Structures are given as structure tokens and as C-alpha cells.
Amino acid sequence: MSFSVLNPATEEVVAEIAEADACAVDAAVEAGAKVFAAGTWSRASVEQRQDMLRKIARLIEAHADELADLESLNTGLLLREARRRHVARAARNFDFFADYIGQSVGELYQQHPGFLTMVLREPVGVAALIAPWNAPLALGSMKIAAAIAFGNSCVIKPSEQAPLAIMRMVEIIAEAGLAPGVLSLVNGRGAVTGEALVRHRLVDLVSFTGGTATGRRIASAAGEGLKAVTMELGGKSANIIFESADFDRALDAALLGVFDNNGQQCLAGSRILVQRSIADRFIEAFAARTKAIRIGDPRDPATELGPVASAAQRERVLEHYARAIDEGAIGLAGGGRPAGLPRGFYVEPVAVEAPSNDLAACQEEIFGPFATIIRFDTAEEAYAIANGTRFGLVSYVWSRDAAQIAEAQERLESGVVWINTPVARELRAPFGGFKESGVGAEGGRACEAFYTRQKTVMTPRRPVALERLGTA
Ligand code: NAD
């Protein structure tokens, strides 16, 4: 069986891909388990692993244009962003873990009078890595780099919608000389290839990024096999703009926060909460700017918003718009298909004002260019709205009042809080969601904890007293 992948900007089929069935998945996992047991990579020195990770990073940089091209072709992401951000991030992920493993420290307990006790960390085995389609290279490379840096083998399954750039990256990694079997790729649908991978008896770890419903299914399957999981799931994040904010910067960042990456980001600030005293001015400016966003070919450097990834995503945006209006929202911008772009999954970016946080558009992750704006009076009300969701991935706060900032960062229920900034990433720090946005996190120490297992070794300081059985 094979499946087609499309260019969302033209709706043309750009590749036919063979689906990996249970047999092919088995071969990939077996190869990973075999090379793991042989120790070729799992017991390679830290220096050898660092050299390889850095070599991979350099090769990714050397192929940056080609990778960016594929990523944009297959996802509709702006070509310049794929080049500047996504490919750069992929290379940086390998460099980051190369540096990290050179500096990580262990534990030693010396309080016990009789023993020195040390805690060793070792690789776990074979990791199943399951990636989404919205930022395949950036997210897939994080998983691969982390898994192999700590000595594991891994099998990556890209999204069946957008596998092309990851497929090329995996080839590049092989060209770098990583031992065969340490990294394999399997293509296919979640229910077929993904399930077979997660349920494989030789898979020890499952790292998943994708939707919450899928995450729940995968975590259950992994749970049956007692496999550890990290789950990076969906979001419905609040961007709170207090009246004390720098208005212009908050406006710029609110637009970026929801429409960047063609609006398809787990960490989108898709609920924009604005304090009532500045709301009229903000809403007017936000609507005008949303209407002025340049929609078009993702390869054109002037384009600001490319197509969404699929026809289904476009329908989702349009249906949510109609439903929001039905539920009492005020349409401010968008809600239709842009003129002059008959081909491609283009949709006008949407802005609506929601009378309440209960609207479906405020509670469900739409995962497209869709902003809902909600007015609030007091900080308490803002926290209640921000936290009034089953998700808890990230939050954004715009304020110039130090006490308000200090309070907000305590009160918001999310794994990351960004103050007076759009998205920023510190790879050393954990990135992970609260509530239904995830389990576990990615980041330096978080990945070390996940991709290694601890082994406690006790050594007596002096010969221990032994009872002598059988000598009475
Ligand atoms: P998805 O859940 O539909 O699919 C993600 C991956 O899971 C794909 O590779 C898919 O084939 C696979 N899959 C599906 N069913 C499976 C199964 N039963 N067993 C094994 N694998 C299975 O997600 P998507 O539509 O590709 O991506 C969008 C979602 O990802 C959004 O909800 C978004 O918020 C989330 N996301 C989260 C983060 C984060 O870091 N928290 C980052 C990016 C995207």
C-alpha cells in the first residue's frame, strides 16, 4: 500500500510513499534493538557521540536550502521561515545535545557510613518517535538528537501528511556515518504504522508530539506495554494583554503569536485576552492588521501567510468561524477563502470577538489561523479565563507592571509563561504542557531523564561484616 503527499500550495501530489506495514516496522525495531545490544553506538564514548552529532549538524547546514525547500513544499510553511528557523533549529538540536552530554553530571551519595553510592545513567534501548506535520523538521530533529545523544536507538515515524523533509534528514544522518540501525524511519498512517511501532515489544520508550486525542490513544497502548512516554500535545493558549502593556509591541506579538507558522502551532496564542480599557483600540487595530496580512505562495518572500496543510484543516477553520458566529461571536476579519487563489489550501486569517470563553472556538484547538479575542476587567478574571481550558501548554503576558507580572506567572496554569515576548525557546529548560497538553517535557535535563535509565551502584567503603551461614 502507498499513499500520496501533497503540496498544500497547489494541491498537487508531490510524492507517492510506500507504507511500512507491521513487518517493516518489526525490521526497523529489530535492527535498533540489535545494534543497541551490540554496543556500537549505545556504548560509544561521549566524544564519539559528540563528534557524530556535530557532524550531523554541519551536514544539515550544508543541505539547508534543500531541506527548507522540501519542508515548505510539503507543509506550506513559508520558505524563508523554513530556512531561517526550522532548518537552523534542526542543526542546533544536534549541537545542543552534543554539548549537553559533555557536561551532564551524575549523583553520588556519601552519607551512608558504610557505602559510597553512585547513580549511573545509561541508554534505555529503542525509542519510538512520532512526529506531527506542523513543524516536522524542527520537532523531529529534537527527538532524534535527544534519543541518540544518550546512546539509544530510535525509529521515527513522520506524519503521513508531511514526511519529505524528515526523510531527507534521515538520509543525511546516514551519510554522516551513524551506524546502521541506530536510526530508522518508517512511513505510514498512525493507525497502521504508528500503532505497530508503539506496540512493538522491543520498543522501550515512546516520544509523541501531536494532538491530544491521538496522545491519549498512544499513551494507553504504551501503558499496556509499560513503556515510558512523553506527550507533547495540543493547546489553547491565552495571550493576556493588560492595560499597562506596551500597546504596539503587544499588538505585533499577538498577531505573530496566532498567525505565525500559518497559524498551525501548538503554542499559538489563540485566545487573546484584552483588558477592557484598551480593548476597543486593540480590536480595531488587530482586525485591520489581520485583514492586511499578505496571503499567498509560501515561496514568495513577500508572503506572510501560506496555505494551511490540508483541505481538512481549511474546512476546520471555516466551520469554526461559522459556528463561532452562530454562538454569538462578532466576526472581525476573515472567515472565507481568499480571492485570486483558486488552488491550494488557502484560508483568510480569522479574528473574532468572543462574548465568553465557553464558545467552542475558545475551548477547542482549531490549529489554523484563528484568533479569538475576549475582553476582561480584572486580573482575577483574566486568570480565570486563561485557566478555563482543559489545555495548559503555554501563556503569554503583556504588562509593564512588575507586581502584575510576578502574580501572573504564579497564577497561570501552563508549562511555559512568556512575559512581554512572543515565542522564545531555551533548549536547556523544559518545554512541556500541563493538563491535557502533555505528559513530561523536552529540554536538556528533561530529555536526559527520559532517554536514560538510572542504575544505582553501591560500593562498600571497607569490607562489610558478613554473617557466615552454615558454620554453626
Ligand atoms: P496527530 O495527532 O493527528 O498526528 C501526530 C502523529 O501521530 C502523526 O505522525 C500520526 O500519523 C501519528 N498517529 C496518529 N494516530 C496514531 C496511533 N494510533 N498510533 C501511533 N501514531 C499515531 O497530530 P497532527 O495533526 O499531525 O499535529 C497537530 C497536533 O499536534 C496539534 O494538536 C498540535 O497542538 C500538536 N502539537 C503539539 C506540540 C507540542 O510540543 N505540544 C508541537 C506541535 C504540534
Side-chain angles (χ1 to χ4, degrees), residues 130-134 139 157-160 188-191 194-195 198 208-212 214 217-218 232-235 266 365 367 393 431 437:
I130 300 185
W133 48 258
N134 66 314
L139 300 173
K157 194 202 83 63
S159 163
E160 60 274 37
R189 290 162 294 170
E195 284 271 349
V198 170
F208 171 73
T209 299
T212 293
T214 316
R217 203 155 48 236
I218 292 178
E232 301 284 341
L233 308 177
C266 57
E365 186 186 43
F367 217 61
L393 192 56
F431 178 89
S437 286

Side-chain angles (χ1 to χ4, degrees), residues 96 99-100 142 425-431 442-447:
F96 172 78
D99 292 344
Y100 185 91
M142 179 80 178
R425 188 74 169 87
E426 165 57 270
L427 293 178
R428 293 165 197 83
F431 178 89
E442 290 186 333
R445 280 160 58 194
C447 285

Side-chain angles (χ1 to χ4, degrees), residues 196-472:
L197 181 58
V198 170
R199 291 187 179 277
H200 196 289
R201 68 191 165 84
L202 294 178
V203 163
D204 303 285
L205 300 171
V206 178
S207 171
F208 171 73
T209 299
T212 293
T214 316
R216 197 170 263 127
R217 203 155 48 236
I218 292 178
S220 305
E224 279 176 36
L226 295 177
K227 305 165 201 276
V229 295
T230 55
M231 295 274 139
E232 301 284 341
L233 308 177
K236 194 73 214 182
S237 300
N239 178 0
I240 306 178
I241 303 172
F242 288 104
E243 63 188 0
S244 67
D246 178 328
F247 184 93
D248 293 332
R249 289 177 57 73
L251 174 64
D252 288 346
L255 287 152
L256 272 178
V258 66
F259 297 133
D260 202 14
N261 223 58
N262 298 339
Q264 299 167 143
Q265 316 191 75
C266 57
L267 40 70
S270 51
R271 292 182 301 145
I272 303 169
L273 282 42
V274 189
Q275 200 150 22
R276 198 171 299 277
S277 52
I278 56 166
D280 283 344
R281 186 175 155 221
F282 182 90
I283 287 169
E284 192 185 328
F286 190 92
R289 293 272 296 271
T290 301
K291 287 181 194 154
I293 286 175
R294 285 190 301 271
I295 310 168
D297 180 357
R299 305 182 63 82
D300 180 344
T303 297
E304 295 177 312
L305 188 82
V308 292
S310 63
Q313 285 302 114
R314 182 179 56 200
E315 286 320 300
R316 191 168 166 76
V317 170
L318 296 176
E319 280 167 22
H320 264 288
Y321 179 78
R323 179 160 176 200
I325 301 298
D326 249 18
E327 290 178 357
I330 303 167
L332 305 168
R337 296 179 58 164
L341 291 166
R343 302 284 292 166
F345 306 127
Y346 292 99
V347 62
E348 290 172 339
V350 173
V352 299
E353 182 183 345
S356 126
N357 190 40
D358 297 335
L359 262 61
C362 298
Q363 291 297 321
E364 285 181 32
E365 186 186 43
I366 299 170
F367 217 61
F370 198 118
T372 53
I373 304 179
I374 308 175
R375 297 176 197 239
F376 69 89
D377 289 300
T378 63
E380 273 312 314
E381 202 188 329
Y383 306 143
I385 298 170
N387 296 335
T389 160
R390 63 197 174 95
F391 297 109
L393 192 56
V394 306
S395 323
Y396 303 82
V397 177
W398 287 84
S399 167
R400 282 184 289 203
D401 175 336
Q404 195 161 56
I405 290 170
E407 183 183 70
Q409 66 201 25
E410 273 181 28
R411 298 289 301 278
L412 292 169
E413 295 168 2
S414 63
V416 179
V417 179
W418 279 299
I419 309 288
N420 292 331
T421 176
V423 174
R425 188 74 169 87
E426 165 57 270
L427 293 178
R428 293 165 197 83
F431 178 89
F434 290 2
K435 303 188 325 195
E436 293 188 22
S437 286
V439 176
E442 290 186 333
R445 280 160 58 194
C447 285
E448 182 175 28
F450 182 67
Y451 287 107
T452 61
R453 59 186 178 193
Q454 292 177 298
K455 180 184 278 174
T456 296
V457 178
M458 298 183 72
T459 313
R461 293 172 186 247
R462 57 195 69 81
V464 293
L466 295 174
E467 254 184 74
R468 305 191 64 221
L469 299 180
T471 56

